[in-house]
């Protein structure tokens, strides 16, 4: 569908990350973000995501293979969150 196409377009055509690259996905718990993270993982990347709830943080880590994630509603400093 449209979400999968948008994710493919962003990761494969525009981003073209190489294996070992760190990839950050904003709104990782949404339709595009879930697919984009999986596409980046398939390319051998380390994938970090942000989402708006602790439940979605667990979902993207446990079900969609993200290496790490954080709840942007609980973080005061995104630079610190990404450095972790």
């Amino acid at each position: 569908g449209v979400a999968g196409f948008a994710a493919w377009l962003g990761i494969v055509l525009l981003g073209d990350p190489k294996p070992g690259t760190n990839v950050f996905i904003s709104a990782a718990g949404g339709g595009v973000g879930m697919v984009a993270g999986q596409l980046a993982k398939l390319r051998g990347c380390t994938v970090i995501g942000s989402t708006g709830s602790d439940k979605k943080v667990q979902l993207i880590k446990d079900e969609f293979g993200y290496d790490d994630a954080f709840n942007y509603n609980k973080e005061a400093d995104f630079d610190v969150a990404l450095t972790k």
Side-chain angles (χ1 to χ4, degrees):
V2 173
F5 178 71
W8 176 81
L9 182 68
I11 295 296
V12 176
L13 290 185
L14 298 176
D16 192 28
K18 304 300 180 231
T21 303
N22 294 329
V23 174
F24 172 69
I25 307 288
S26 178
V32 176
M34 288 184 200
V35 176
Q38 292 178 76
L39 290 172
K41 287 298 292 180
L42 287 171
R43 295 174 75 94
C45 300
T46 299
V47 181
I48 312 301
S50 68
T51 189
S53 73
D54 292 337
K55 185 176 179 180
K56 285 185 179 180
V57 166
Q58 281 309 119
L59 174 71
I60 63 175
K61 288 170 63 176
D62 296 343
E63 299 293 327
F64 297 107
Y66 275 66
D67 295 292
D68 207 352
F70 63 91
N71 179 344
Y72 57 75
N73 289 315
K74 290 186 171 182
E75 297 294 336
D77 188 339
F78 293 141
D79 288 333
V80 171
L82 287 170
T83 301
K84 287 188 226 174

